[in-house]
């Protein structure tokens, strides 16, 4: 009997442990809604492993991404910087991708082949993703690397242009090199958020040159240590794709359908930030408090970001101050003093954590019907 009980509990324990391992889910996964006409893909397209200057094996990157509920990752090893080369000789620059691809095979995670073209300022660092062979990008001069990336049909973005090691004022230094790459169709995006650093100046450059807006973790250590344990989420790029495929993702990146997200911060073009936040808030219930003209609107924040709003309506709130927060994945009952009973109300809130241009917040509308 004792033996049987042990066997049963051991069985449950095994199931529990393996169940946990198999799901790979962390306690707080990243969730953002689809927007009208598009599927929202959660991506982190700038990461490192021991195959360049990272500290982990590529399989760990896959497991971290699964825990965070990401849809897409790319391991973008420095082509020109391999500090672990003595211990891990690896002439084939595609190895990191191959190992990640194998690890992800049993899971619903897309792995994109990428590499980081690494140079001093003013060229800086750039990621080429959707390449077909990283080895062919290793070249003496950066111009050739960019040419080869284009030949492979790559989507290329400028990494951390505001990085203080290359831009001592913390402001990106634009040069002829970037102008020429854009003219040649060899540069398509720019990081506005890297490792949690948001550069407004990089955002301005993205809008000025019509570059795709990117946010990435640029993780070298562990996501848990560098972000989660500090109470942060990893920076990601939400990509609005027609389908959940590599081809659709690539099309969306070239078309610039993205929003960079870090914790409560959303950076993107108005046409994508607005529907994203609008879809992120669900109106669950609408009713007047008995014998009053105070309208109660139950709002659910379905995203993983705390959303900060400011009232933009002529009507005032009863309970909340004009600036209020709906924490991630929670519900809030807003009480609006409509002065008389209405059949419908246009709820108008400014999203204070979101930017559609430097220093400019979007105003989000919801059509509220009173039953
Ligand atoms: Zn990097």
């Amino acid at each position: 009997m004792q033996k049987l009980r042990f066997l049963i509990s051991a069985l449950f324990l095994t199931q529990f442990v393996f169940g946990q391992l198999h799901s790979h889910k962390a306690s707080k996964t990243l969730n953002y809604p689809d927007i009208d006409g598009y599927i929202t893909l959660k991506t982190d397209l700038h990461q490192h492993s021991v195959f360049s200057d990272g500290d982990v094996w590529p399989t760990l990157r896959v497991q971290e991404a699964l825990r965070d509920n990401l849809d897409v990752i790319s391991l973008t090893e420095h082509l020109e910087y391999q500090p672990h080369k003595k211990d891990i000789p690896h002439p084939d620059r595609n190895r990191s991708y191959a190992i990640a691809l194998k690890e992800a095979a049993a899971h619903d995670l897309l792995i994109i082949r990428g590499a980081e073209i690494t140079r001093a300022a003013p060229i800086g660092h750039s990621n080429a993703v959707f390449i077909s062979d990283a080895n062919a990008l290793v070249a003496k001069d950066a111009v050739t690397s960019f040419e080869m990336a284009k030949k492979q049909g790559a989507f290329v973005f400028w990494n951390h242009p505001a990085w203080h090691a290359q831009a001592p004022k913390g402001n990106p230094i634009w040069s002829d090199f970037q102008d020429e790459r854009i003219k040649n169709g060899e540069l398509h995006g720019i990081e506005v958020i890297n490792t949690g650093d948001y550069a407004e100046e990089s955002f301005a450059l993205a809008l000025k040159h019509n570059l795709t807006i990117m946010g990435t973790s640029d993780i070298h250590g562990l996501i848990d240590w560098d972000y989660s344990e500090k109470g942060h989420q990893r920076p990601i790029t939400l990509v609005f794709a027609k389908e959940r495929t590599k081809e659709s993702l690539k099309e969306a990146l070239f078309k610039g359908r993205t929003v960079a997200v870090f914790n409560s911060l959303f950076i993107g073009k108005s046409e994508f930030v607005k529907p994203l936040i609008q879809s992120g808030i669900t109106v669950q219930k609408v009713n007047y408090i008995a014998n009053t003209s105070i309208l109660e609107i139950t709002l659910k924040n379905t995203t993983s970001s705390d959303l900060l709003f400011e009232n933009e309506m002529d009507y005032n709130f009863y309970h909340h101050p004009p600036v209020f927060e709906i924490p991630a994945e929670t519900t809030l009952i807003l009480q609006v003093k409509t002065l008389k009973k209405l059949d419908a109300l246009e709820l108008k809130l400014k999203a204070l954590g979101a930017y559609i241009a430097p220093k400019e917040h979007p105003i989000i509308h919801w059509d509220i019907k009173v039953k």
Side-chain angles (χ1 to χ4, degrees):
M1 192 61 189
Q2 199 64 24
K3 214 173 186 181
L4 188 71
R5 198 174 290 158
F6 171 75
L7 214 84
I8 288 169
S9 58
L11 216 102
F12 270 106
L13 192 72
T14 321
Q15 231 176 7
F16 175 72
V17 169
F18 281 96
Q20 288 290 94
L21 277 181
H22 187 78
S23 82
H24 289 298
K25 287 274 186 283
S27 56
K28 206 172 167 231
T29 62
L30 296 175
N31 295 295
Y32 294 92
D34 293 337
I35 64 171
D36 204 17
Y38 297 111
I39 295 166
T40 301
L41 298 178
K42 302 172 290 286
T43 77
D44 186 353
L45 302 179
H46 188 170
Q47 303 189 51
H48 296 274
S49 78
V50 287
F51 283 85
S52 59
D53 58 345
D55 302 322
V56 308
W57 197 249
T59 51
L60 260 288
R61 291 285 170 253
V62 171
Q63 289 161 21
E64 283 177 330
L66 292 167
R67 285 168 63 88
D68 281 347
N69 196 30
L70 296 189
D71 299 292
V72 188
I73 62 165
S74 182
L75 301 189
T76 48
E77 312 296 354
H78 294 284
L79 292 169
E80 299 82 3
Y81 183 52
Q82 303 170 288
H84 305 309
K85 206 173 164 184
K86 264 193 186 161
D87 297 308
I88 308 167
H90 50 284
D92 182 2
R93 309 311 181 85
N94 297 302
R95 271 309 283 158
S96 167
Y97 166 75
I99 294 166
L101 192 67
K102 193 175 169 217
E103 177 71 10
H107 299 285
D108 198 19
L109 177 71
L110 300 174
I111 311 289
I112 308 300
R113 195 193 302 253
E116 184 163 5
I117 302 167
T118 313
R119 293 294 190 285
I123 295 170
H125 298 188
S126 296
N127 275 351
V129 293
F130 291 101
I131 55 175
S132 49
D133 179 14
N135 298 314
L137 266 54
V138 182
K140 268 217 168 72
D141 59 304
V143 170
T144 307
S145 292
F146 276 77
E147 276 172 8
M148 294 310 295
K150 187 190 177 184
K151 228 175 230 173
Q152 295 185 11
F155 172 81
V156 180
F157 57 97
W158 189 10
N159 299 338
H160 44 70
W163 181 31
H164 60 71
Q166 294 195 329
K169 288 182 180 168
N171 285 348
I173 301 167
W174 191 266
S175 73
D176 291 347
F177 184 82
Q178 282 79 35
D179 272 329
E180 277 160 28
R181 300 289 79 66
I182 289 178
K183 204 178 71 197
N184 295 351
E186 295 166 353
L187 182 63
H188 318 99
I190 183 168
E191 284 182 347
V192 300
I193 301 173
N194 174 285
T195 59
D197 297 331
Y198 163 53
E200 213 167 276
E201 301 79 7
S202 302
F203 185 25
L205 286 174
L207 296 177
K208 183 181 173 193
H209 297 280
N210 199 24
L211 293 169
T212 300
I213 292 159
M214 306 292 293
T216 69
S217 71
D218 197 357
I219 187 72
H220 289 72
L222 291 173
I223 290 288
D224 254 8
W225 290 3
D226 287 8
Y227 294 102
S228 315
E229 279 186 6
K230 294 173 180 164
H232 296 303
Q233 292 168 3
R234 62 155 63 175
I236 56 171
T237 306
L238 298 179
V239 183
F240 308 104
K242 287 174 187 158
E243 289 169 53
R244 199 181 186 283
T245 62
K246 289 186 180 184
E247 294 71 30
S248 279
L249 172 77
K250 189 175 174 183
E251 187 263 350
L253 284 169
F254 272 109
K255 291 268 171 67
R257 295 199 303 268
T258 63
V259 170
V261 181
F262 176 55
N263 296 334
S264 309
L265 181 65
F266 293 78
I267 308 295
K269 289 182 175 165
S270 166
E271 60 191 297
F272 303 114
V273 171
K274 280 184 180 178
L276 177 68
I277 293 178
Q278 214 246 359
S279 308
I281 294 287
T282 312
V283 180
Q284 287 191 323
K285 201 176 159 212
V286 183
N287 60 276
Y288 274 101
I289 298 176
N291 307 317
T292 74
S293 56
I294 299 169
L295 186 65
E296 284 195 328
I297 308 171
T298 305
L299 301 171
K300 167 100 198 262
N301 175 2
T302 65
T303 77
S304 299
S305 299
D306 300 332
L307 295 175
L308 193 65
F309 291 114
E310 182 175 13
N311 184 14
E312 281 289 317
M313 297 181 292
D314 293 331
Y315 303 117
N316 294 328
F317 297 148
Y318 180 78
H319 176 67
H320 287 92
V323 172
F324 65 100
E325 188 186 65
I326 313 181
E329 281 150 47
T330 65
T331 297
L332 177 135
I333 300 172
L334 205 59
Q335 296 168 329
V336 185
K337 299 191 280 188
T338 62
L339 307 182
K340 59 178 184 179
K341 291 208 177 179
L342 305 175
D343 296 331
L345 170 80
E346 190 184 43
L347 177 64
K348 244 174 27 177
L349 303 174
K350 189 184 270 182
L352 298 179
Y355 290 91
I356 52 175
K359 296 181 172 62
E360 189 183 340
H361 302 294
I363 294 171
I364 321 287
H365 302 245
W366 292 266
D367 288 321
I368 309 288
K369 297 256 179 301
V370 186
K371 277 183 198 124

mmCIF file of all heavy atoms in Angstrom, residues 46-48 53 76 78 116 125 127 159-160 194 218 220, ligand 1:
data_model
loop_
_atom_site.group_PDB
_atom_site.id
_atom_site.type_symbol
_atom_site.label_atom_id
_atom_site.label_comp_id
_atom_site.label_asym_id
_atom_site.label_seq_id
_atom_site.Cartn_x
_atom_site.Cartn_y
_atom_site.Cartn_z
ATOM 1 N N HIS A 46 16.714 40.443 -32.057
ATOM 2 C CA HIS A 46 18.105 40.803 -31.750
ATOM 3 C C HIS A 46 18.531 40.081 -30.478
ATOM 4 O O HIS A 46 18.202 40.510 -29.373
ATOM 5 C CB HIS A 46 18.228 42.325 -31.603
ATOM 6 C CG HIS A 46 19.637 42.807 -31.486
ATOM 7 N ND1 HIS A 46 19.970 44.145 -31.540
ATOM 8 C CD2 HIS A 46 20.808 42.139 -31.317
ATOM 9 C CE1 HIS A 46 21.276 44.279 -31.415
ATOM 10 N NE2 HIS A 46 21.807 43.082 -31.264
ATOM 11 N N GLN A 47 19.246 38.959 -30.638
ATOM 12 C CA GLN A 47 19.659 38.150 -29.501
ATOM 13 C C GLN A 47 20.999 37.498 -29.808
ATOM 14 O O GLN A 47 21.352 37.307 -30.964
ATOM 15 C CB GLN A 47 18.618 37.052 -29.237
ATOM 16 C CG GLN A 47 17.214 37.579 -28.988
ATOM 17 C CD GLN A 47 16.275 36.478 -28.514
ATOM 18 O OE1 GLN A 47 16.573 35.741 -27.584
ATOM 19 N NE2 GLN A 47 15.134 36.372 -29.148
ATOM 20 N N HIS A 48 21.708 37.144 -28.733
ATOM 21 C CA HIS A 48 23.036 36.531 -28.903
ATOM 22 C C HIS A 48 23.156 35.229 -28.113
ATOM 23 O O HIS A 48 22.475 35.038 -27.112
ATOM 24 C CB HIS A 48 24.121 37.507 -28.458
ATOM 25 C CG HIS A 48 24.161 38.740 -29.304
ATOM 26 N ND1 HIS A 48 24.871 38.816 -30.463
ATOM 27 C CD2 HIS A 48 23.543 39.941 -29.176
ATOM 28 C CE1 HIS A 48 24.709 40.003 -31.016
ATOM 29 N NE2 HIS A 48 23.893 40.706 -30.254
ATOM 30 N N ASP A 53 28.988 36.826 -28.710
ATOM 31 C CA ASP A 53 29.402 37.246 -27.367
ATOM 32 C C ASP A 53 28.332 37.008 -26.301
ATOM 33 O O ASP A 53 28.367 37.619 -25.240
ATOM 34 C CB ASP A 53 29.836 38.718 -27.373
ATOM 35 C CG ASP A 53 28.745 39.654 -27.874
ATOM 36 O OD1 ASP A 53 27.775 39.158 -28.473
ATOM 37 O OD2 ASP A 53 28.857 40.876 -27.659
ATOM 38 N N THR A 76 21.088 36.748 -33.688
ATOM 39 C CA THR A 76 21.849 37.617 -34.582
ATOM 40 C C THR A 76 23.277 37.742 -34.058
ATOM 41 O O THR A 76 23.630 38.733 -33.411
ATOM 42 C CB THR A 76 21.176 38.999 -34.662
ATOM 43 O OG1 THR A 76 20.895 39.445 -33.327
ATOM 44 C CG2 THR A 76 19.866 38.928 -35.421
ATOM 45 N N HIS A 78 27.187 38.371 -33.823
ATOM 46 C CA HIS A 78 28.134 39.287 -34.471
ATOM 47 C C HIS A 78 28.964 38.493 -35.481
ATOM 48 O O HIS A 78 29.564 37.476 -35.123
ATOM 49 C CB HIS A 78 29.084 39.894 -33.432
ATOM 50 C CG HIS A 78 28.414 40.780 -32.441
ATOM 51 N ND1 HIS A 78 28.015 42.057 -32.747
ATOM 52 C CD2 HIS A 78 28.060 40.578 -31.143
ATOM 53 C CE1 HIS A 78 27.454 42.607 -31.681
ATOM 54 N NE2 HIS A 78 27.460 41.726 -30.687
ATOM 55 N N GLU A 116 24.529 39.834 -37.205
ATOM 56 C CA GLU A 116 24.780 41.243 -36.900
ATOM 57 C C GLU A 116 26.062 41.707 -37.588
ATOM 58 O O GLU A 116 27.151 41.185 -37.309
ATOM 59 C CB GLU A 116 24.857 41.465 -35.383
ATOM 60 C CG GLU A 116 25.033 42.938 -35.003
ATOM 61 C CD GLU A 116 24.689 43.225 -33.536
ATOM 62 O OE1 GLU A 116 24.410 42.285 -32.766
ATOM 63 O OE2 GLU A 116 24.687 44.410 -33.167
ATOM 64 N N HIS A 125 26.310 49.059 -35.744
ATOM 65 C CA HIS A 125 25.881 47.663 -35.811
ATOM 66 C C HIS A 125 24.537 47.585 -36.514
ATOM 67 O O HIS A 125 23.656 48.411 -36.255
ATOM 68 C CB HIS A 125 25.733 47.077 -34.409
ATOM 69 C CG HIS A 125 26.999 47.053 -33.612
ATOM 70 N ND1 HIS A 125 27.092 46.417 -32.393
ATOM 71 C CD2 HIS A 125 28.238 47.565 -33.854
ATOM 72 C CE1 HIS A 125 28.324 46.549 -31.920
ATOM 73 N NE2 HIS A 125 29.033 47.251 -32.779
ATOM 74 N N ASN A 127 21.495 44.607 -37.899
ATOM 75 C CA ASN A 127 21.044 43.229 -38.023
ATOM 76 C C ASN A 127 20.466 42.986 -39.404
ATOM 77 O O ASN A 127 19.645 43.777 -39.877
ATOM 78 C CB ASN A 127 19.961 42.914 -36.987
ATOM 79 C CG ASN A 127 20.542 42.510 -35.650
ATOM 80 O OD1 ASN A 127 21.752 42.311 -35.532
ATOM 81 N ND2 ASN A 127 19.690 42.383 -34.655
ATOM 82 N N ASN A 159 21.044 48.878 -35.429
ATOM 83 C CA ASN A 159 20.903 48.565 -34.003
ATOM 84 C C ASN A 159 21.363 49.726 -33.122
ATOM 85 O O ASN A 159 22.340 50.391 -33.435
ATOM 86 C CB ASN A 159 21.754 47.332 -33.644
ATOM 87 C CG ASN A 159 21.315 46.104 -34.420
ATOM 88 O OD1 ASN A 159 20.181 46.040 -34.886
ATOM 89 N ND2 ASN A 159 22.198 45.148 -34.561
ATOM 90 N N HIS A 160 20.695 49.871 -32.024
ATOM 91 C CA HIS A 160 21.050 50.866 -30.994
ATOM 92 C C HIS A 160 21.850 52.053 -31.543
ATOM 93 O O HIS A 160 23.021 52.252 -31.154
ATOM 94 C CB HIS A 160 21.803 50.212 -29.825
ATOM 95 C CG HIS A 160 22.891 49.230 -30.222
ATOM 96 N ND1 HIS A 160 24.065 49.629 -30.807
ATOM 97 C CD2 HIS A 160 22.960 47.886 -30.133
ATOM 98 C CE1 HIS A 160 24.818 48.559 -31.037
ATOM 99 N NE2 HIS A 160 24.170 47.495 -30.644
ATOM 100 N N ASN A 194 16.298 49.562 -27.398
ATOM 101 C CA ASN A 194 17.290 48.484 -27.326
ATOM 102 C C ASN A 194 17.643 48.290 -25.852
ATOM 103 O O ASN A 194 17.939 49.273 -25.158
ATOM 104 C CB ASN A 194 18.543 48.868 -28.138
ATOM 105 C CG ASN A 194 19.667 47.843 -27.965
ATOM 106 O OD1 ASN A 194 20.326 47.794 -26.927
ATOM 107 N ND2 ASN A 194 19.882 47.029 -28.976
ATOM 108 N N ASP A 218 18.236 42.529 -27.296
ATOM 109 C CA ASP A 218 19.698 42.437 -27.484
ATOM 110 C C ASP A 218 20.307 41.632 -26.327
ATOM 111 O O ASP A 218 21.358 41.988 -25.790
ATOM 112 C CB ASP A 218 20.304 43.850 -27.556
ATOM 113 C CG ASP A 218 21.710 43.858 -28.139
ATOM 114 O OD1 ASP A 218 22.239 42.769 -28.435
ATOM 115 O OD2 ASP A 218 22.277 44.952 -28.280
ATOM 116 N N HIS A 220 22.228 39.106 -24.022
ATOM 117 C CA HIS A 220 23.477 38.346 -24.039
ATOM 118 C C HIS A 220 23.489 37.330 -22.892
ATOM 119 O O HIS A 220 23.999 36.239 -23.034
ATOM 120 C CB HIS A 220 24.684 39.282 -23.901
ATOM 121 C CG HIS A 220 24.929 40.116 -25.126
ATOM 122 N ND1 HIS A 220 24.119 41.163 -25.498
ATOM 123 C CD2 HIS A 220 25.895 40.041 -26.069
ATOM 124 C CE1 HIS A 220 24.592 41.695 -26.625
ATOM 125 N NE2 HIS A 220 25.668 41.032 -26.982
HETATM 126 ZN ZN1 LIG B 1 23.690 42.757 -30.808
#
